[in-house]
Amino acid sequence: MKRLVLWDVDGTLVRLGQASRHPFQVALTHVLGRELEEQFHERVEMSGKTDPQIARELLLLAEVAEHQVGEETAAVLEHLEAELAALADRMPEDGRVLPGVAELLGGLDADPLVVQSVLTGNLAANAAVKLGAFGLDRWLDLSIGAYGSDDADRTQLVPVARGRAAQRHGVAFPPDSVWVVGDTPADLACARAGGAHCLLVATGRFARSDLEGLGADAVLEDLSDTSMVIEILRS
Ligand SMILES: [Mg+2]
């Protein structure tokens, strides 16, 4: 059976530092037309959330009226996309690819029984910018991924990627052929909702002790033991 491996981006493949959070603040300031307190964006926990969900929470925190939030979320996301694209050149300086990732993506790419893409809260364009900045997109078929731009609710995203992969490859990817790899409880919830397997890694905001005991199929400190990770994802 062919496997579909769906990677989360932030905290799983790469760490971006300020480039992951600051663009939200710039976009929000622009849309609201007023200055916000410095580091306003840090009042919203972003790990594991989709970009539309983060934008909405920030707007509500900035006391935008509920009936205006939908329209303003769209405006924030539009600016976010532009801000992030403008930072692409600096991403490799501010951020880093996490241990084992390049070797792992390359290794799995050589396996004809494995198809790799992403399942991320990022808008599709933002995921492409981040992965492209680090050269990781060469091993991932981003056209079959599932993104925050497909649904603000991450738990809806496994079927989106399965559907795209099936169309592209002409074979079905049943839920138990799918692995979601992520760094937060939200990645696990999304995998569970979609009937997929889940590997969690403690390279994001959550420690291994926070991730263990949640019911993931496997929990690792990081992805550096690439032969073990490959074995897990083929199991
Ligand atoms: Mg993440």
Side-chain angles (χ1 to χ4, degrees):
M1 183 168 59
K2 264 193 190 256
R3 297 254 173 240
L4 176 60
V5 178
L6 299 171
W7 300 94
D8 167 57
V9 175
D10 299 278
T12 301
L13 296 179
V14 297
R15 291 282 303 241
L16 281 187
Q18 276 304 304
S20 64
R21 302 180 68 93
H22 187 66
F24 269 104
Q25 175 120 356
V26 177
L28 193 66
T29 305
H30 194 100
V31 169
L32 294 175
R34 58 182 157 94
E35 281 303 317
L36 294 158
E37 79 191 63
E38 214 179 316
Q39 314 301 339
F40 177 85
H41 59 287
E42 290 187 1
R43 291 168 58 190
V44 165
E45 174 57 56
M46 298 187 183
S47 292
K49 292 180 184 166
T50 62
D51 283 353
Q53 196 179 1
I54 295 165
R56 182 183 161 77
E57 287 184 23
L58 285 166
L59 287 164
L60 289 171
L61 200 61
E63 295 179 345
V64 168
E66 182 80 40
H67 70 276
Q68 290 179 322
V69 166
E71 196 177 314
E72 303 224 338
T73 295
V76 168
L77 294 176
E78 201 179 311
H79 284 284
L80 178 72
E81 214 173 291
E83 285 303 319
L84 207 68
L87 286 175
D89 290 347
R90 278 172 39 200
M91 283 180 191
E93 293 157 40
D94 289 347
R96 65 198 165 94
V97 176
L98 287 160
V101 164
E103 195 188 334
L104 204 46
L105 295 183
L108 288 168
D109 184 53
D111 184 339
L113 289 177
V114 175
V115 172
Q116 299 187 89
S117 188
V118 294
L119 190 159
T120 168
N122 284 282
L123 303 183
N126 296 352
V129 165
K130 290 178 181 180
L131 295 166
F134 294 97
L136 299 179
D137 52 347
R138 79 190 79 165
W139 298 299
L140 299 164
D141 182 355
L142 298 184
S143 73
I144 60 168
Y147 303 91
S149 35
D150 293 310
D151 203 308
D153 177 359
R154 194 181 192 109
T155 65
Q156 302 300 308
L157 293 180
V158 168
V160 173
R162 284 180 51 220
R164 287 180 179 150
Q167 198 162 25
R168 175 112 168 149
H169 292 273
V171 289
F173 290 89
D176 72 345
S177 72
V178 181
W179 276 87
V180 168
V181 188
D183 68 306
T184 71
D187 296 270
L188 175 61
C190 147
R192 284 289 170 265
H197 298 284
C198 183
L199 164 62
L200 293 178
V201 281
T203 43
R205 298 246 300 144
F206 291 84
R208 187 174 180 172
S209 56
D210 297 328
L211 299 172
E212 274 170 346
L214 298 177
D217 297 273
V219 179
L220 296 173
E221 193 66 36
D222 59 34
L223 296 170
S224 59
D225 187 344
T226 54
S227 51
M228 191 213 282
V229 177
I230 288 175
E231 198 177 311
I232 290 170
L233 297 178
R234 282 185 182 144
S235 69

